[in-house]
Structures are given as structure tokens and as C-alpha cells.
Amino acid sequence: MIVKGSEKTSHISKGLVLLMATVCGLTVANVYLNQTLLVSMSVSFHVSAASIGIIATLAQIGYALGNLFIVPLGDIFERKKLILILLFAICIVLALNALSINKTWMMATSLALGIVTVVPQIIVPLAANIASDHNRGKVLGNVAIGLVCGILGARLISGFIDVHFGWRMVYWTSAVATLFMILLVYVYFPKSKGGNATSYKHLLMSLGPLFIKERGLQQACVSQGMMFASFSAFWTTLVFLLHTHSYSYGSDMVGVIGLVGIAGAFATPVIGRLIDTKGAKFASLLCMSISLLAFIGLIRGGYWLPGLILGALLITVGTQANQVACQFTIFQLGEEKRSRLNGLYMVSTFLGGSLGSYVGLLAWSKWEWDGVCAIAILMIAISFCPLIPMNISKKMNISKKTIGNLMNKKGSNV
């Protein structure tokens, strides 16, 4: 089960980083493809648009389950082999999605697709291992570009294919693209060295104690969980804002604004370099501040299209760059447990996103856009909290040392 491989820790080529980002973007997009296809699916399966929404929910539940039960395997299996197995599984499940004949079939395959689509969360720890200590932040930032492009671009591309060729063609196209990625991964991905010689049962049983033990992991989970919650609240309710009298746009406008978000993803390498020079804590505080200021501005600026576009850009930059900073922090806790750390971290991030979508819709139903901005500001304020006790603790330790030194000096003078 454990493979002594050729994973290098001194250099990672730009081509390999680009390939990793591409595979991450292509695979994570599978979780979000269905969000623009639900209306077409409801027509095909002769069900209501409201009832077909369960398909999108099941895909996200599957993604959370995959992060909890599959991603930790990266600590005991050779990662390249695990990635290839999952990519083959993705191809099969995508084909089953395309061949769905009813809603029940689609529900089962959507859940399965979410479970096996966790390839990016195995690639990220692999990239962290290959990168050297002085450029790990930059590498993680570059790989994150693919994730953001996949999440935001999936809606736009799937919508285009659906309009011209039907929703089934979306899944066939993704399956063919995945087959091509399998070939590239097989040829160019390095093998990873083995980690823990333990059983799968003991691996899963170690997750709880690991979360309790690592305070840095807890802080990262709260920080990015709440940041992603505010991000999800924004993108979930954006379509309702665009349908108001202030805009009167269609749902396709969400995809157009999503393109702006993709442009913002290219700021993540800048944050990566900032992490390498100033540290992850400084970068995380900067990212949270950017998102906080964006939502404050959107309280009024959200009703003005240029202000809304700028807000979408800043929210995407803040959220995705903070993910890089948080992952950098947890990967410093130990190379041999990076997959488990990342799995736990992504589960909390996903739960935060689910919470943000739910609370965002609730806020819109009661207070509309002002309520969404207010709840997002509250979520970001919570994301700051894990850093406050740490700062206070450090200051108290410094104060204790200072008082102790003064007392010692006073005692020696007496």
C-alpha cells in the first residue's frame, strides 16, 4: 500500500503546476455543472423545477462525504495512483449521469459524482509536498486558480452547452475531457512517497483526535468556513438581486458576473507570494479585510452594476486567497498528515458554504439585499475571531515575561 516514490521537494516546474491547476478546475466543475441544468432536467424527467433541486444538493453532500472518507487516503496510498483511480471513476459516473432515464437515477449518480470528484483535494497536498519551503505559498496560489475557474466557469460553460446541445452533452463533454486528463496525469504527475503504514479504519479514527489536537486546523476551519459562507450567500442570492427592478436581468447575467470572479482568481498567486514573505496570518487578515470592505460597500453599491461587479471581484479575491493562506497554515502542521488535515478543512469549508447558501436565502426572504450583506458581514466578523485569542495570548505571555523580569530586577536591587 505504501510506495516509496520520486516526489521531489526542491523544485516544481511551471508546466506541472499548470497541469495540476487544470485537473483541479476540470474535476471540481463536476460538482457545479448541474446548477444551470436543473430546468432542462426537470423537463426531461417530467418533474417540477422545485423537486429537481435535490440533485444539486446531493452532489454537494457527496463532495463533503468524499472529503471525509476518500481524501484522507492520500496519507496512506500513493497519491498519483489514487488520483488516476478517481479520474477513471469520474468518467464512469459522468457517463451514467448522461444516460439517466429518471430523477431517481440522476439523484444516485449525482451523489456518486460528488463523492469521487474530490481529486483537487488530493492534488493540493501533493503540490504542497513537491514545493520547497520558500515557494509553497506561490505554488498553492497558482493551483488555486484552477479551482476558482472550475467553480465559477462551470455554470457558464454548462449553460452554453445546454442551450445548444442539451444537458446530457454537458456530461459527455466532461467525460471526454477527463479521459484526456487521465493520460496527462499518467505521463507527467510524479509519484508520491508513502506516509503512514496504517489501516483505513485507524486512519478514519484518527480524524477526531487530530482535529481536537491541532489548534491551527481549528482556526483555519472557522476562518475559511465563515469566509466561504459569505461567498456562498452572495452568489446564491445574486440571481434574485438581478431580477429586481434595479436591474431586471435574466439568470444568464450571473454567469457574466462570474467571469469577473474568474479574473479575480488570478490574484491568488499574489497572495501566495505574500504568504512566502509576510506569513500566512498577515495574508489571511488582509483577505478577510478585503471581503469585509466589499460587503460593506455592497450595502448601497450592490444596486449599481459597476459597484456590484467590483464587489464580486473583491469577494472572490478575498475568499479564494484566504483558502490558500489557510491551507498553507495547516500544511505546516506535518507532511505525513496533510491529506487528513486537508480533508477535515474542506469538510468545514463545505459546511460553511452550505450554511451560507441557506442563511443567505433566508436573509433575502426577510430583508432582501440589505439582509444578505448584513449576514455576510457577521460571518466575516466571526472569521476574524480565531485570530483574536491567539493575539491576546501572545500579548499576555509577553506581559508576564516583562513583569517577571521587572520583579527579578527589583528583587536583585533589594
Side-chain angles (χ1 to χ4, degrees):
M1 186 179 293
I2 307 303
V3 178
K4 293 182 180 180
S6 57
E7 184 179 293
K8 298 179 181 179
T9 57
S10 59
H11 176 71
I12 179 170
S13 68
K14 292 181 180 180
L16 180 57
V17 173
L18 176 61
L19 177 57
M20 286 180 166
T22 302
V23 177
C24 284
L26 178 69
T27 50
V28 77
N30 291 320
V31 180
Y32 302 93
L33 290 176
N34 55 42
Q35 293 183 353
T36 54
L37 308 177
L38 296 177
V39 174
S40 298
M41 289 178 185
S42 67
V43 174
S44 295
F45 301 143
H46 307 290
V47 296
S48 67
S51 67
I52 202 71
I54 188 65
I55 289 174
T57 302
L58 286 171
Q60 295 178 358
I61 291 174
Y63 192 69
L65 292 174
N67 272 284
L68 187 61
F69 294 108
I70 295 181
V71 171
L73 288 171
D75 284 337
I76 57 175
F77 278 102
E78 195 277 304
R79 289 190 177 107
K80 178 179 176 179
K81 183 178 180 180
L82 181 59
I83 290 168
L84 287 171
I85 291 172
L86 288 173
L87 288 174
F88 274 113
I90 289 171
C91 283
I92 294 171
V93 178
L94 283 169
L96 291 174
N97 272 269
L99 295 170
S100 296
I101 58 175
N102 54 44
K103 176 186 168 184
T104 303
W105 182 324
M106 195 68 191
M107 287 171 60
T109 54
S110 294
L111 178 66
L113 185 60
I115 292 173
V116 297
T117 297
V118 292
V119 169
Q121 306 315 324
I122 298 170
I123 291 178
V124 171
L126 176 61
N129 284 2
I130 299 172
S132 60
D133 292 337
H134 72 275
N135 74 341
R136 184 168 291 120
K138 178 182 176 182
V139 169
L140 292 176
N142 286 325
V143 173
I145 292 177
L147 280 169
V148 184
C149 290
I151 292 171
L152 298 177
R155 300 178 180 93
L156 183 66
I157 296 173
S158 62
F160 176 83
I161 296 176
D162 178 35
V163 169
H164 292 88
F165 306 102
W167 66 267
R168 296 181 190 275
M169 184 56 67
V170 175
Y171 290 100
W172 286 123
T173 302
S174 184
V176 172
T178 304
L179 283 173
F180 183 62
M181 288 296 108
I182 289 173
L183 176 61
L184 294 178
V185 169
Y186 179 78
V187 174
Y188 294 108
F189 266 40
K191 289 185 177 180
S192 64
K193 58 185 179 181
N196 298 304
T198 185
S199 67
Y200 181 60
K201 178 182 177 181
H202 288 113
L203 188 74
L204 293 181
M205 290 179 64
S206 70
L207 294 178
L210 181 63
F211 183 81
I212 295 171
K213 175 185 176 183
E214 300 292 355
R215 181 162 178 78
L217 174 62
Q218 297 169 15
Q219 293 169 345
C221 288
V222 174
S223 175
Q224 184 61 11
M226 288 295 97
M227 284 286 285
F228 198 66
S230 66
F231 177 87
S232 296
F234 172 82
W235 287 103
T236 302
T237 58
L238 180 60
V239 65
F240 298 105
L241 175 65
L242 293 174
H243 275 90
T244 62
H245 294 298
S246 300
Y247 292 106
S248 298
Y249 288 127
S251 301
D252 55 342
M253 191 63 182
V254 177
V256 175
I257 295 177
L259 289 176
V260 178
I262 292 175
F266 288 87
T268 53
V270 177
I271 291 295
R273 288 191 288 270
L274 187 66
I275 293 170
D276 291 328
T277 56
K278 297 288 187 179
K281 178 186 168 186
F282 176 84
S284 186
L285 286 170
L286 177 62
C287 294
M288 290 186 284
S289 299
I290 290 172
S291 290
L292 180 63
L293 292 174
F295 276 110
I296 292 174
L298 282 171
I299 294 175
R300 289 292 171 261
Y303 296 99
W304 180 50
L305 186 58
L308 183 63
I309 291 174
L310 178 61
L313 177 65
L314 294 177
I315 290 167
T316 303
V317 169
T319 304
Q320 300 304 326
N322 188 65
Q323 175 161 315
V324 176
C326 289
Q327 284 181 317
F328 181 93
T329 299
I330 65 173
F331 289 157
Q332 301 300 103
L333 300 177
E335 179 179 343
E336 75 285 353
K337 51 189 175 184
R338 279 176 177 161
S339 289
R340 282 171 291 166
L341 291 167
N342 197 50
L344 289 168
Y345 166 76
M346 289 308 301
V347 168
S348 67
T349 300
F350 166 82
L351 292 176
S354 300
L355 175 67
S357 296
Y358 175 77
V359 176
L361 289 171
L362 191 63
W364 176 269
S365 66
K366 293 182 177 295
W367 306 292
E368 295 193 344
W369 187 244
D370 289 350
V372 173
C373 291
I375 201 69
I377 290 170
L378 176 61
M379 290 171 176
I380 296 173
I382 295 173
S383 72
F384 278 96
C385 292
L387 299 177
I388 296 174
M390 183 170 61
N391 290 336
I392 293 175
S393 177
K394 287 182 178 179
K395 290 179 180 179
M396 288 180 65
N397 288 335
I398 293 172
S399 298
K400 288 179 181 179
K401 289 181 180 179
T402 304
I403 293 171
N405 291 335
L406 290 174
M407 292 297 291
N408 290 334
K409 288 181 179 179
K410 184 176 180 181
S412 61
N413 291 333
V414 174

Short mmCIF file of all heavy atoms in Angstrom, two decimals, residues 107-146:
data_model
loop_
_atom_site.label_atom_id
_atom_site.label_comp_id
_atom_site.label_asym_id
_atom_site.label_seq_id
_atom_site.Cartn_x
_atom_site.Cartn_y
_atom_site.Cartn_z
N MET A 107 -30.38 11.30 -9.18
CA MET A 107 -30.04 11.57 -7.78
C MET A 107 -28.89 10.69 -7.32
O MET A 107 -27.93 11.16 -6.69
CB MET A 107 -31.27 11.34 -6.89
CG MET A 107 -32.34 12.41 -7.03
SD MET A 107 -33.89 11.96 -6.18
CE MET A 107 -33.34 11.79 -4.48
N ALA A 108 -28.95 9.40 -7.65
CA ALA A 108 -27.91 8.45 -7.23
C ALA A 108 -26.57 8.79 -7.89
O ALA A 108 -25.52 8.79 -7.23
CB ALA A 108 -28.33 7.02 -7.56
N THR A 109 -26.61 9.07 -9.20
CA THR A 109 -25.35 9.35 -9.90
C THR A 109 -24.77 10.70 -9.51
O THR A 109 -23.55 10.88 -9.50
CB THR A 109 -25.57 9.30 -11.42
OG1 THR A 109 -26.64 10.18 -11.79
CG2 THR A 109 -25.89 7.89 -11.88
N SER A 110 -25.61 11.66 -9.15
CA SER A 110 -25.12 12.97 -8.71
C SER A 110 -24.41 12.85 -7.36
O SER A 110 -23.37 13.48 -7.14
CB SER A 110 -26.27 13.97 -8.61
OG SER A 110 -26.81 14.24 -9.88
N LEU A 111 -24.98 12.03 -6.46
CA LEU A 111 -24.32 11.78 -5.18
C LEU A 111 -22.98 11.11 -5.40
O LEU A 111 -21.96 11.50 -4.80
CB LEU A 111 -25.21 10.91 -4.31
CG LEU A 111 -24.65 10.52 -2.93
CD1 LEU A 111 -24.50 11.75 -2.04
CD2 LEU A 111 -25.54 9.48 -2.26
N ALA A 112 -22.95 10.10 -6.27
CA ALA A 112 -21.71 9.38 -6.56
C ALA A 112 -20.67 10.30 -7.20
O ALA A 112 -19.48 10.22 -6.90
CB ALA A 112 -22.00 8.19 -7.47
N LEU A 113 -21.12 11.17 -8.10
CA LEU A 113 -20.20 12.10 -8.77
C LEU A 113 -19.54 13.03 -7.77
O LEU A 113 -18.34 13.30 -7.84
CB LEU A 113 -20.94 12.90 -9.84
CG LEU A 113 -20.10 13.83 -10.70
CD1 LEU A 113 -19.04 13.05 -11.47
CD2 LEU A 113 -20.98 14.63 -11.67
N GLY A 114 -20.33 13.52 -6.81
CA GLY A 114 -19.76 14.38 -5.78
C GLY A 114 -18.70 13.66 -4.95
O GLY A 114 -17.67 14.23 -4.62
N ILE A 115 -18.94 12.38 -4.64
CA ILE A 115 -18.01 11.62 -3.81
C ILE A 115 -16.67 11.44 -4.50
O ILE A 115 -15.61 11.61 -3.87
CB ILE A 115 -18.63 10.24 -3.46
CG1 ILE A 115 -19.83 10.42 -2.53
CG2 ILE A 115 -17.58 9.33 -2.81
CD1 ILE A 115 -20.61 9.15 -2.26
N VAL A 116 -16.67 11.10 -5.79
CA VAL A 116 -15.40 10.80 -6.48
C VAL A 116 -14.72 12.04 -7.06
O VAL A 116 -13.60 11.96 -7.56
CB VAL A 116 -15.62 9.76 -7.60
CG1 VAL A 116 -16.09 8.45 -7.02
CG2 VAL A 116 -16.61 10.27 -8.66
N THR A 117 -15.38 13.21 -6.96
CA THR A 117 -14.82 14.42 -7.57
C THR A 117 -13.83 15.13 -6.66
O THR A 117 -13.44 16.25 -6.94
CB THR A 117 -15.99 15.36 -7.97
OG1 THR A 117 -16.78 14.71 -8.95
CG2 THR A 117 -15.53 16.65 -8.58
N VAL A 118 -13.39 14.49 -5.59
CA VAL A 118 -12.50 15.15 -4.62
C VAL A 118 -11.04 15.13 -5.05
O VAL A 118 -10.15 15.39 -4.23
CB VAL A 118 -12.64 14.49 -3.23
CG1 VAL A 118 -14.02 14.76 -2.65
CG2 VAL A 118 -12.38 12.98 -3.32
N VAL A 119 -10.78 14.86 -6.31
CA VAL A 119 -9.40 14.84 -6.84
C VAL A 119 -8.61 16.10 -6.48
O VAL A 119 -7.44 16.01 -6.10
CB VAL A 119 -9.42 14.62 -8.36
CG1 VAL A 119 -8.05 14.86 -8.98
CG2 VAL A 119 -9.89 13.21 -8.68
N PRO A 120 -9.20 17.32 -6.60
CA PRO A 120 -8.41 18.52 -6.26
C PRO A 120 -7.86 18.51 -4.84
O PRO A 120 -6.75 19.00 -4.61
CB PRO A 120 -9.43 19.66 -6.44
CG PRO A 120 -10.42 19.14 -7.40
CD PRO A 120 -10.54 17.68 -7.10
N GLN A 121 -8.59 17.93 -3.91
CA GLN A 121 -8.15 17.93 -2.52
C GLN A 121 -7.08 16.87 -2.25
O GLN A 121 -6.54 16.80 -1.14
CB GLN A 121 -9.35 17.74 -1.58
CG GLN A 121 -10.48 18.73 -1.82
CD GLN A 121 -9.98 20.16 -1.99
OE1 GLN A 121 -9.02 20.58 -1.34
NE2 GLN A 121 -10.64 20.91 -2.87
N ILE A 122 -6.78 16.05 -3.24
CA ILE A 122 -5.63 15.14 -3.17
C ILE A 122 -4.44 15.77 -3.88
O ILE A 122 -3.29 15.59 -3.49
CB ILE A 122 -5.99 13.78 -3.77
CG1 ILE A 122 -7.13 13.14 -2.97
CG2 ILE A 122 -4.78 12.84 -3.78
CD1 ILE A 122 -7.73 11.91 -3.61
N ILE A 123 -4.74 16.54 -4.94
CA ILE A 123 -3.68 17.21 -5.69
C ILE A 123 -3.03 18.32 -4.86
O ILE A 123 -1.81 18.50 -4.89
CB ILE A 123 -4.23 17.78 -7.00
CG1 ILE A 123 -4.58 16.64 -7.96
CG2 ILE A 123 -3.22 18.72 -7.66
CD1 ILE A 123 -5.19 17.11 -9.28
N VAL A 124 -3.82 19.06 -4.10
CA VAL A 124 -3.28 20.20 -3.34
C VAL A 124 -2.21 19.76 -2.33
O VAL A 124 -1.13 20.35 -2.28
CB VAL A 124 -4.42 20.99 -2.65
CG1 VAL A 124 -3.85 22.03 -1.69
CG2 VAL A 124 -5.28 21.70 -3.70
N PRO A 125 -2.46 18.72 -1.50
CA PRO A 125 -1.37 18.25 -0.62
C PRO A 125 -0.16 17.73 -1.39
O PRO A 125 0.98 17.87 -0.94
CB PRO A 125 -2.03 17.13 0.19
CG PRO A 125 -3.48 17.41 0.13
CD PRO A 125 -3.72 18.01 -1.22
N LEU A 126 -0.41 17.11 -2.56
CA LEU A 126 0.70 16.64 -3.39
C LEU A 126 1.56 17.81 -3.85
O LEU A 126 2.79 17.75 -3.80
CB LEU A 126 0.15 15.87 -4.60
CG LEU A 126 1.18 15.39 -5.64
CD1 LEU A 126 2.17 14.42 -5.01
CD2 LEU A 126 0.47 14.74 -6.83
N ALA A 127 0.91 18.90 -4.28
CA ALA A 127 1.64 20.10 -4.70
C ALA A 127 2.41 20.70 -3.53
O ALA A 127 3.55 21.16 -3.69
CB ALA A 127 0.67 21.13 -5.28
N ALA A 128 1.81 20.68 -2.34
CA ALA A 128 2.49 21.21 -1.16
C ALA A 128 3.74 20.40 -0.82
O ALA A 128 4.75 20.96 -0.38
CB ALA A 128 1.53 21.22 0.03
N ASN A 129 3.67 19.10 -1.02
CA ASN A 129 4.82 18.25 -0.73
C ASN A 129 5.96 18.47 -1.73
O ASN A 129 7.14 18.46 -1.36
CB ASN A 129 4.40 16.77 -0.76
CG ASN A 129 3.64 16.36 0.48
OD1 ASN A 129 3.38 17.18 1.36
ND2 ASN A 129 3.26 15.12 0.56
N ILE A 130 5.60 18.63 -3.01
CA ILE A 130 6.61 18.80 -4.03
C ILE A 130 7.31 20.16 -3.91
O ILE A 130 8.51 20.27 -4.13
CB ILE A 130 5.98 18.66 -5.44
CG1 ILE A 130 5.37 17.27 -5.61
CG2 ILE A 130 7.02 18.91 -6.52
CD1 ILE A 130 4.57 17.10 -6.87
N ALA A 131 6.53 21.20 -3.57
CA ALA A 131 7.09 22.55 -3.48
C ALA A 131 8.09 22.64 -2.34
O ALA A 131 8.00 21.93 -1.34
CB ALA A 131 5.97 23.56 -3.29
N SER A 132 9.04 23.55 -2.49
CA SER A 132 10.00 23.80 -1.42
C SER A 132 9.40 24.76 -0.40
O SER A 132 8.37 25.40 -0.66
CB SER A 132 11.29 24.39 -2.01
OG SER A 132 11.01 25.61 -2.67
N ASP A 133 10.04 24.88 0.75
CA ASP A 133 9.51 25.72 1.81
C ASP A 133 9.40 27.19 1.41
O ASP A 133 8.48 27.89 1.84
CB ASP A 133 10.39 25.60 3.07
CG ASP A 133 10.31 24.22 3.69
OD1 ASP A 133 9.29 23.53 3.45
OD2 ASP A 133 11.25 23.83 4.40
N HIS A 134 10.30 27.67 0.58
CA HIS A 134 10.32 29.10 0.27
C HIS A 134 9.34 29.49 -0.83
O HIS A 134 9.09 30.69 -1.03
CB HIS A 134 11.73 29.55 -0.12
CG HIS A 134 12.17 29.08 -1.48
ND1 HIS A 134 12.73 27.83 -1.69
CD2 HIS A 134 12.10 29.67 -2.70
CE1 HIS A 134 13.00 27.69 -2.97
NE2 HIS A 134 12.63 28.78 -3.61
N ASN A 135 8.75 28.52 -1.56
CA ASN A 135 7.79 28.88 -2.61
C ASN A 135 6.48 28.11 -2.51
O ASN A 135 5.71 28.07 -3.46
CB ASN A 135 8.41 28.70 -3.99
CG ASN A 135 8.54 27.23 -4.40
OD1 ASN A 135 8.50 26.34 -3.54
ND2 ASN A 135 8.68 26.99 -5.68
N ARG A 136 6.21 27.49 -1.36
CA ARG A 136 5.00 26.70 -1.20
C ARG A 136 3.75 27.56 -1.35
O ARG A 136 2.76 27.16 -1.97
CB ARG A 136 5.01 25.97 0.15
CG ARG A 136 3.80 25.04 0.34
CD ARG A 136 3.97 24.13 1.54
NE ARG A 136 5.03 23.15 1.30
CZ ARG A 136 6.13 23.04 2.06
NH1 ARG A 136 6.30 23.86 3.09
NH2 ARG A 136 7.03 22.14 1.78
N GLY A 137 3.75 28.75 -0.78
CA GLY A 137 2.59 29.63 -0.90
C GLY A 137 2.30 30.00 -2.33
O GLY A 137 1.14 30.01 -2.77
N LYS A 138 3.34 30.30 -3.11
CA LYS A 138 3.17 30.66 -4.51
C LYS A 138 2.59 29.49 -5.30
O LYS A 138 1.68 29.67 -6.12
CB LYS A 138 4.52 31.06 -5.11
CG LYS A 138 4.48 31.42 -6.58
CD LYS A 138 5.87 31.77 -7.09
CE LYS A 138 5.85 32.04 -8.59
NZ LYS A 138 7.21 32.34 -9.11
N VAL A 139 3.09 28.28 -5.06
CA VAL A 139 2.60 27.09 -5.77
C VAL A 139 1.12 26.84 -5.45
O VAL A 139 0.30 26.61 -6.34
CB VAL A 139 3.45 25.86 -5.42
CG1 VAL A 139 2.80 24.58 -5.93
CG2 VAL A 139 4.85 26.00 -6.00
N LEU A 140 0.77 26.90 -4.17
CA LEU A 140 -0.63 26.69 -3.77
C LEU A 140 -1.53 27.75 -4.38
O LEU A 140 -2.67 27.46 -4.77
CB LEU A 140 -0.75 26.69 -2.24
CG LEU A 140 -0.10 25.51 -1.51
CD1 LEU A 140 -0.21 25.70 -0.01
CD2 LEU A 140 -0.74 24.20 -1.93
N GLY A 141 -1.04 28.99 -4.47
CA GLY A 141 -1.82 30.06 -5.08
C GLY A 141 -2.08 29.80 -6.55
O GLY A 141 -3.18 30.05 -7.05
N ASN A 142 -1.07 29.32 -7.26
CA ASN A 142 -1.23 29.02 -8.68
C ASN A 142 -2.19 27.85 -8.92
O ASN A 142 -3.01 27.88 -9.84
CB ASN A 142 0.13 28.71 -9.32
CG ASN A 142 0.98 29.94 -9.52
OD1 ASN A 142 0.45 31.01 -9.82
ND2 ASN A 142 2.28 29.83 -9.36
N VAL A 143 -2.10 26.82 -8.09
CA VAL A 143 -3.01 25.69 -8.22
C VAL A 143 -4.45 26.11 -7.92
O VAL A 143 -5.41 25.63 -8.55
CB VAL A 143 -2.59 24.53 -7.28
CG1 VAL A 143 -3.63 23.41 -7.27
CG2 VAL A 143 -1.24 23.97 -7.71
N ALA A 144 -4.60 27.07 -7.00
CA ALA A 144 -5.94 27.55 -6.62
C ALA A 144 -6.65 28.24 -7.77
O ALA A 144 -7.89 28.31 -7.79
CB ALA A 144 -5.84 28.49 -5.42
N ILE A 145 -5.90 28.77 -8.74
CA ILE A 145 -6.53 29.40 -9.89
C ILE A 145 -7.46 28.42 -10.60
O ILE A 145 -8.58 28.75 -10.99
CB ILE A 145 -5.46 29.92 -10.88
CG1 ILE A 145 -4.69 31.08 -10.27
CG2 ILE A 145 -6.11 30.37 -12.19
CD1 ILE A 145 -3.57 31.60 -11.16
N GLY A 146 -6.98 27.17 -10.75
CA GLY A 146 -7.80 26.16 -11.40
C GLY A 146 -9.08 25.87 -10.65
O GLY A 146 -10.16 25.72 -11.26
#
